[in-house]
Amino acid sequence: PPMSDRRRRIISSAFVKMDRNGNGKITIHDLKGVYNVKQHQKYMNGEWSEDRCLKEFLDSFGGNGDGVITKDEFLNYYSSVSASIDNDPYFDLMMRNAYKL
């Protein structure tokens, strides 16, 4: 679904924050130190390692399961999220809170 420029900018800001090395892809290495798994239930009970939690997080964006999220995959994921939120200011707030922007 089409998105406003405002929404595209905030999604791009979140992607840039997560893509720590600036190569246009988010990997487990990028997420370490940015995404905290300590409160994930399966991490807390010892079922999953930190890397497993991070891979599952990456896979939730609907990539091809390679543990890498491209900017296009990130935008496509948030395009679907965006479609269910009518209000630009609310979408902006949700993204800022989720990614501490």
Side-chain angles (χ1 to χ4, degrees):
M3 285 187 294
S4 68
D5 287 341
R6 179 178 179 176
R7 291 184 186 207
R8 286 185 176 281
R9 282 192 303 271
I10 194 74
I11 293 167
S12 290
S13 294
F15 185 86
V16 166
K17 181 175 182 178
M18 302 293 275
D19 178 19
R20 291 178 54 190
N21 67 5
N23 70 350
K25 299 173 184 172
I26 301 172
T27 65
I28 287 174
H29 180 72
D30 290 314
L31 291 179
K32 287 187 177 181
V34 176
Y35 183 78
N36 186 344
V37 303
K38 303 275 190 252
Q39 298 303 313
H40 192 290
Q41 186 170 351
K42 291 190 177 186
Y43 178 81
M44 290 171 51
N45 72 18
E47 190 175 339
W48 287 0
S49 66
E50 179 185 21
D51 282 356
R52 173 77 187 273
C53 290
L54 295 173
K55 182 167 183 336
E56 293 292 329
F57 175 75
L58 288 172
D59 288 348
S60 72
F61 286 91
N64 60 12
D66 63 356
V68 175
I69 298 300
T70 66
K71 189 168 186 179
D72 283 343
E73 289 169 337
F74 198 77
L75 278 168
N76 286 338
Y77 174 85
Y78 277 107
S79 176
S80 296
V81 172
S82 173
S84 68
I85 300 174
D86 294 332
N87 185 296
D88 275 355
Y90 180 75
F91 183 83
D92 188 272
L93 178 66
M94 185 255 330
M95 291 295 293
R96 288 183 189 283
N97 287 339
Y99 290 98
K100 295 183 172 89
L101 300 172

